Tab-separated table of all heavy atoms in Angstrom:
chain	number	residue	atom	x	y	z
A	1059	ALA	N	8.297	-3.198	12.491
A	1059	ALA	CA	6.999	-3.226	11.818
A	1059	ALA	C	6.953	-2.245	10.652
A	1059	ALA	O	6.270	-2.486	9.651
A	1059	ALA	CB	5.891	-2.908	12.821
A	1060	THR	N	7.686	-1.146	10.762
A	1060	THR	CA	7.792	-0.210	9.637
A	1060	THR	C	8.414	-0.912	8.438
A	1060	THR	O	7.991	-0.694	7.295
A	1060	THR	CB	8.641	1.010	10.034
A	1060	THR	OG1	8.072	1.616	11.201
A	1060	THR	CG2	8.681	2.031	8.902
A	1061	GLY	N	9.400	-1.742	8.690
A	1061	GLY	CA	10.016	-2.519	7.611
A	1061	GLY	C	9.091	-3.564	7.022
A	1061	GLY	O	9.311	-4.032	5.897
A	1062	LEU	N	8.052	-3.920	7.770
A	1062	LEU	CA	7.074	-4.892	7.267
A	1062	LEU	C	5.936	-4.232	6.504
A	1062	LEU	O	5.514	-4.713	5.446
A	1062	LEU	CB	6.475	-5.692	8.438
A	1062	LEU	CG	7.425	-6.550	9.269
A	1062	LEU	CD1	6.677	-7.139	10.461
A	1062	LEU	CD2	8.030	-7.663	8.423
A	1063	PHE	N	5.419	-3.111	7.030
A	1063	PHE	CA	4.142	-2.575	6.552
A	1063	PHE	C	4.232	-1.256	5.794
A	1063	PHE	O	3.211	-0.774	5.299
A	1063	PHE	CB	3.186	-2.386	7.735
A	1063	PHE	CG	2.825	-3.660	8.443
A	1063	PHE	CD1	3.306	-3.913	9.718
A	1063	PHE	CD2	2.005	-4.598	7.839
A	1063	PHE	CE1	2.972	-5.081	10.389
A	1063	PHE	CE2	1.660	-5.772	8.498
A	1063	PHE	CZ	2.138	-6.019	9.771
A	1064	ALA	N	5.401	-0.616	5.716
A	1064	ALA	CA	5.504	0.658	4.997
A	1064	ALA	C	5.034	0.483	3.561
A	1064	ALA	O	5.336	-0.519	2.913
A	1064	ALA	CB	6.938	1.174	5.030
A	1065	SER	N	4.304	1.477	3.074
A	1065	SER	CA	3.711	1.358	1.737
A	1065	SER	C	3.788	2.678	0.982
A	1065	SER	O	3.431	3.734	1.522
A	1065	SER	CB	2.245	0.920	1.863
A	1065	SER	OG	1.593	0.976	0.616
A	1066	THR	N	4.223	2.593	-0.258
A	1066	THR	CA	4.254	3.794	-1.101
A	1066	THR	C	2.855	4.266	-1.451
A	1066	THR	O	2.662	5.413	-1.840
A	1066	THR	CB	5.032	3.517	-2.397
A	1066	THR	OG1	4.460	2.371	-3.055
A	1066	THR	CG2	6.492	3.247	-2.107
A	1067	ALA	N	1.867	3.386	-1.323
A	1067	ALA	CA	0.486	3.785	-1.565
A	1067	ALA	C	0.009	4.774	-0.502
A	1067	ALA	O	-0.889	5.582	-0.754
A	1067	ALA	CB	-0.424	2.557	-1.573
A	1068	VAL	N	0.602	4.710	0.665
A	1068	VAL	CA	0.268	5.628	1.748
A	1068	VAL	C	1.137	6.873	1.672
A	1068	VAL	O	0.662	7.998	1.831
A	1068	VAL	CB	0.453	4.945	3.118
A	1068	VAL	CG1	0.162	5.921	4.260
A	1068	VAL	CG2	-0.440	3.725	3.223
A	1069	ASN	N	2.417	6.690	1.426
A	1069	ASN	CA	3.368	7.795	1.394
A	1069	ASN	C	4.350	7.551	0.254
A	1069	ASN	O	5.204	6.660	0.331
A	1069	ASN	CB	4.101	7.884	2.734
A	1069	ASN	CG	4.892	9.161	2.883
A	1069	ASN	OD1	5.463	9.673	1.925
A	1069	ASN	ND2	4.939	9.694	4.100
A	1070	ALA	N	4.235	8.344	-0.785
A	1070	ALA	CA	5.056	8.150	-1.982
A	1070	ALA	C	6.521	8.483	-1.755
A	1070	ALA	O	7.364	8.175	-2.598
A	1070	ALA	CB	4.514	9.010	-3.122
A	1071	GLU	N	6.854	9.094	-0.605
A	1071	GLU	CA	8.229	9.491	-0.343
A	1071	GLU	C	9.073	8.355	0.240
A	1071	GLU	O	10.259	8.540	0.493
A	1071	GLU	CB	8.246	10.689	0.614
A	1071	GLU	CG	7.572	11.934	0.031
A	1071	GLU	CD	7.571	13.086	1.018
A	1071	GLU	OE1	8.127	12.917	2.127
A	1071	GLU	OE2	7.023	14.142	0.683
A	1072	VAL	N	8.459	7.181	0.495
A	1072	VAL	CA	9.196	6.068	1.091
A	1072	VAL	C	9.215	4.886	0.127
A	1072	VAL	O	8.705	4.972	-0.993
A	1072	VAL	CB	8.564	5.640	2.432
A	1072	VAL	CG1	8.559	6.800	3.402
A	1072	VAL	CG2	7.144	5.116	2.235
A	1073	ILE	N	9.828	3.787	0.578
A	1073	ILE	CA	9.818	2.561	-0.208
A	1073	ILE	C	8.945	1.527	0.496
A	1073	ILE	O	8.674	1.637	1.686
A	1073	ILE	CB	11.243	2.000	-0.402
A	1073	ILE	CG1	11.914	1.724	0.952
A	1073	ILE	CG2	12.086	2.966	-1.229
A	1073	ILE	CD1	13.279	1.101	0.833
A	1074	ASP	N	8.490	0.531	-0.253
A	1074	ASP	CA	7.622	-0.492	0.311
A	1074	ASP	C	8.380	-1.373	1.295
A	1074	ASP	O	9.595	-1.572	1.201
A	1074	ASP	CB	7.041	-1.367	-0.802
A	1074	ASP	CG	5.963	-0.643	-1.601
A	1074	ASP	OD1	5.210	0.139	-0.990
A	1074	ASP	OD2	5.890	-0.858	-2.828
A	1075	GLY	N	7.619	-1.952	2.244
A	1075	GLY	CA	8.179	-2.877	3.197
A	1075	GLY	C	8.088	-4.315	2.714
A	1075	GLY	O	7.687	-4.596	1.581
A	1076	LEU	N	8.434	-5.242	3.596
A	1076	LEU	CA	8.486	-6.666	3.258
A	1076	LEU	C	7.177	-7.178	2.697
A	1076	LEU	O	7.157	-7.894	1.689
A	1076	LEU	CB	8.866	-7.465	4.513
A	1076	LEU	CG	8.797	-8.993	4.393
A	1076	LEU	CD1	9.840	-9.503	3.406
A	1076	LEU	CD2	8.998	-9.640	5.767
A	1077	PHE	N	6.058	-6.836	3.320
A	1077	PHE	CA	4.768	-7.368	2.903
A	1077	PHE	C	4.242	-6.736	1.622
A	1077	PHE	O	3.182	-7.112	1.126
A	1077	PHE	CB	3.738	-7.204	4.029
A	1077	PHE	CG	4.015	-8.069	5.224
A	1077	PHE	CD1	3.607	-7.686	6.487
A	1077	PHE	CD2	4.689	-9.274	5.089
A	1077	PHE	CE1	3.857	-8.487	7.598
A	1077	PHE	CE2	4.951	-10.080	6.177
A	1077	PHE	CZ	4.532	-9.686	7.441
A	1078	TYR	N	4.987	-5.768	1.097
A	1078	TYR	CA	4.609	-5.156	-0.180
A	1078	TYR	C	5.704	-5.386	-1.223
A	1078	TYR	O	5.823	-4.638	-2.189
A	1078	TYR	CB	4.331	-3.670	0.002
A	1078	TYR	CG	3.143	-3.406	0.903
A	1078	TYR	CD1	3.316	-3.204	2.261
A	1078	TYR	CD2	1.841	-3.411	0.399
A	1078	TYR	CE1	2.229	-2.994	3.102
A	1078	TYR	CE2	0.749	-3.198	1.226
A	1078	TYR	CZ	0.950	-2.994	2.577
A	1078	TYR	OH	-0.142	-2.787	3.407
A	1079	GLY	N	6.504	-6.439	-0.991
A	1079	GLY	CA	7.448	-6.877	-2.016
A	1079	GLY	C	8.855	-6.363	-1.904
A	1079	GLY	O	9.631	-6.488	-2.859
A	1080	ASN	N	9.249	-5.792	-0.751
A	1080	ASN	CA	10.596	-5.238	-0.629
A	1080	ASN	C	11.251	-5.690	0.682
A	1080	ASN	O	11.327	-4.930	1.660
A	1080	ASN	CB	10.542	-3.708	-0.695
A	1080	ASN	CG	11.938	-3.100	-0.679
A	1080	ASN	OD1	12.873	-3.656	-1.243
A	1080	ASN	ND2	12.072	-1.952	-0.026
A	1081	PRO	N	11.766	-6.921	0.755
A	1081	PRO	CA	12.382	-7.448	1.979
A	1081	PRO	C	13.565	-6.634	2.500
A	1081	PRO	O	13.771	-6.583	3.725
A	1081	PRO	CB	12.827	-8.858	1.562
A	1081	PRO	CG	11.943	-9.216	0.423
A	1081	PRO	CD	11.704	-7.939	-0.319
A	1082	PRO	N	14.392	-5.996	1.653
A	1082	PRO	CA	15.559	-5.280	2.190
A	1082	PRO	C	15.220	-4.214	3.228
A	1082	PRO	O	16.049	-3.922	4.091
A	1082	PRO	CB	16.195	-4.654	0.945
A	1082	PRO	CG	15.815	-5.579	-0.169
A	1082	PRO	CD	14.423	-6.017	0.162
A	1083	LEU	N	14.012	-3.620	3.163
A	1083	LEU	CA	13.687	-2.572	4.123
A	1083	LEU	C	13.674	-3.109	5.550
A	1083	LEU	O	14.094	-2.420	6.482
A	1083	LEU	CB	12.334	-1.928	3.795
A	1083	LEU	CG	11.919	-0.779	4.734
A	1083	LEU	CD1	12.948	0.336	4.710
A	1083	LEU	CD2	10.538	-0.245	4.361
A	1084	LEU	N	13.224	-4.335	5.733
A	1084	LEU	CA	13.224	-4.926	7.072
A	1084	LEU	C	14.655	-5.068	7.602
A	1084	LEU	O	14.913	-4.813	8.774
A	1084	LEU	CB	12.527	-6.283	7.056
A	1084	LEU	CG	12.467	-7.019	8.403
A	1084	LEU	CD1	11.745	-6.182	9.448
A	1084	LEU	CD2	11.790	-8.375	8.237
């Protein structure tokens, strides 16, 4: 789920997840 929902809008130190345009994180 972290790979799906992680968001740089919440934490600028990470990369976006699948639902925010970055499928590789999943």
Side-chain angles (χ1 to χ4, degrees):
T1060 304
L1062 298 174
F1063 297 110
S1065 172
T1066 55
V1068 178
N1069 192 324
E1071 297 178 2
V1072 301
I1073 58 177
D1074 286 324
L1076 173 66
F1077 292 152
Y1078 296 93
N1080 184 36
L1083 182 59
L1084 180 59

